Amino acid sequence: MANPPAEPIPHGHLPVLPDAVLDTLAPQPGQTLIDCTLGRGGHASLLIPRIPGGQYLAFDLDAGNGDYARTRLAPLAEQHEVTLTIVHDSFTAMPAELDRLGITGVHGIHADLGFASNQVDDPARGLSFLRDGPLDMRLDTTAPIAAEQLVNQLPEKELADLIYRFGEERKSRRIARKIVESRGATPIQTTAQLADLVRRALGPAGSRPGFNPATRTFQALRIAVNGELDALEGLLAAAPARLQTASGRLAVISFHSLEDRPVKQAMQQWESQGLGTRLTRKPLTATDEEAQTNPRARSAKLRAFQFSPSA
């Protein structure tokens, strides 16, 4: 894994695939755009100036990032006469929020399914095994269930199934067994504890250059804690009805196969049903230059779709 940049990252996060987002959404003056994952406002800062007189509705589970983005974006929105609405919630709340605001036609929806650099780099969030911290992993710190509860309370079979399903970890049963054995003596409360348990459960066979054996287990727990795949499923179910009215576009940036696969399948299905056209036959990925300056963009894949107007 690449070392983090020596210089502080502007605004705590660099948006991935910014040119691809602009090209596929093709924002125009007066349009209504939805940002499913606002983060620190990186993509929003590029999109808002392209829709003068329009509306920008954004969601984020992280209240701190939402507040930061509001401060960053409010002057920009005012300058371009864009109505900016930021909602501290999952983008599963999008249909209800659109109804509340009386918005029918949406011209563009985009979702960056990764998490912000300031989140993963903060040990207190517990998202990374690179820095020891509490075993939390919640993007919304007010949510009731953290990773610590799952690791210490789930029955062994349920824990193994979770790690297999959301982490695609073939040796999930071995890992779950080790976790259950260990927590019987001492509760597992930190990222270092869990990462060490996974390494010991997998042994030498679980290690290979450039890959930490705890990666899949951490991914699985983060997805479960934050309901990430359920939220994506909801977005793919809700998007057509909201975008067809305005011949709108959907752009989704994913970072692993569990995210990319349902996006790809949904867009293929929409096209076969005559609902519109895939704008990306193959996913757009980072250029060599972007991958060098922003290592977290290396695994990013963007797929986009344009809906035809509804009858």
Side-chain angles (χ1 to χ4, degrees), residues 193-254:
Q193 278 180 281
L194 179 60
D196 181 62
L197 282 172
V198 174
R199 282 192 292 269
R200 288 194 282 125
L202 297 181
S207 298
R208 66 176 187 266
F211 180 80
N212 191 301
T215 298
R216 294 192 182 98
T217 298
F218 271 66
Q219 172 185 299
L221 289 167
R222 191 201 75 235
I223 289 174
V225 165
N226 296 292
E228 294 174 24
L229 295 185
D230 288 341
L232 176 58
E233 181 181 347
L235 172 63
L236 296 175
R242 300 295 174 167
L243 289 165
Q244 279 181 283
T245 303
S247 188
R249 297 183 174 202
L250 172 68
V252 180
I253 300 174
S254 63

Side-chain angles (χ1 to χ4, degrees), residues 36-272:
C36 294
T37 47
L38 177 63
R40 306 286 273 190
H43 288 120
S45 69
L46 303 175
L47 290 164
I48 287 174
R50 306 291 183 99
I51 58 166
Q55 297 186 78
Y56 199 88
L57 172 61
F59 298 85
D60 205 282
L61 281 169
D62 187 326
N65 274 357
D67 290 343
Y68 183 96
R70 182 178 287 104
T71 299
R72 177 185 181 185
L73 298 173
L76 189 65
E78 182 178 2
Q79 177 186 350
H80 295 280
E81 299 182 335
V82 171
T83 300
L84 174 65
T85 304
I86 297 176
V87 180
H88 173 217
D89 205 342
S90 164
F91 52 84
T92 55
M94 177 187 69
E97 192 65 22
L98 287 173
D99 291 343
R100 186 186 72 81
L101 295 172
I103 298 174
T104 53
V106 174
H107 301 92
I109 299 175
H110 78 98
D112 176 349
L113 301 178
F115 39 91
S117 297
N118 70 295
Q119 293 170 323
V120 72
D121 290 340
D122 181 0
R125 306 303 292 267
L127 289 165
S128 173
F129 42 73
L130 299 178
R131 300 171 178 84
D132 193 20
L135 196 57
D136 194 316
M137 300 193 185
R138 293 172 298 173
L139 299 181
D140 180 356
T141 56
T142 68
I145 304 297
E148 181 181 347
Q149 280 73 52
L150 298 182
V151 167
N152 287 288
Q153 296 175 13
L154 281 182
E156 182 177 326
K157 183 180 184 305
E158 290 184 28
L159 184 58
D161 289 347
L162 183 154
I163 295 171
Y164 180 80
R165 179 186 175 195
F166 295 142
E168 298 184 301
E169 173 58 75
R170 291 178 296 173
K171 298 178 181 177
S172 62
R173 298 194 183 283
R174 185 185 302 181
I175 294 169
R177 189 179 311 118
K178 188 70 173 179
I179 288 173
V180 172
E181 289 174 356
S182 178
R183 77 189 190 191
T186 305
I188 303 165
Q189 298 176 317
T190 72
T191 56
Q193 278 180 281
L194 179 60
D196 181 62
L197 282 172
V198 174
R199 282 192 292 269
R200 288 194 282 125
L202 297 181
S207 298
R208 66 176 187 266
F211 180 80
N212 191 301
T215 298
R216 294 192 182 98
T217 298
F218 271 66
Q219 172 185 299
L221 289 167
R222 191 201 75 235
I223 289 174
V225 165
N226 296 292
E228 294 174 24
L229 295 185
D230 288 341
L232 176 58
E233 181 181 347
L235 172 63
L236 296 175
R242 300 295 174 167
L243 289 165
Q244 279 181 283
T245 303
S247 188
R249 297 183 174 202
L250 172 68
V252 180
I253 300 174
S254 63
F255 290 82
H256 52 76
S257 61
L258 289 174
E259 296 170 337
D260 182 58
R261 191 181 302 123
V263 174
K264 175 183 177 180
Q265 292 172 344
M267 291 183 177
Q268 288 175 334
Q269 183 178 24
W270 295 335
E271 191 170 60
S272 69

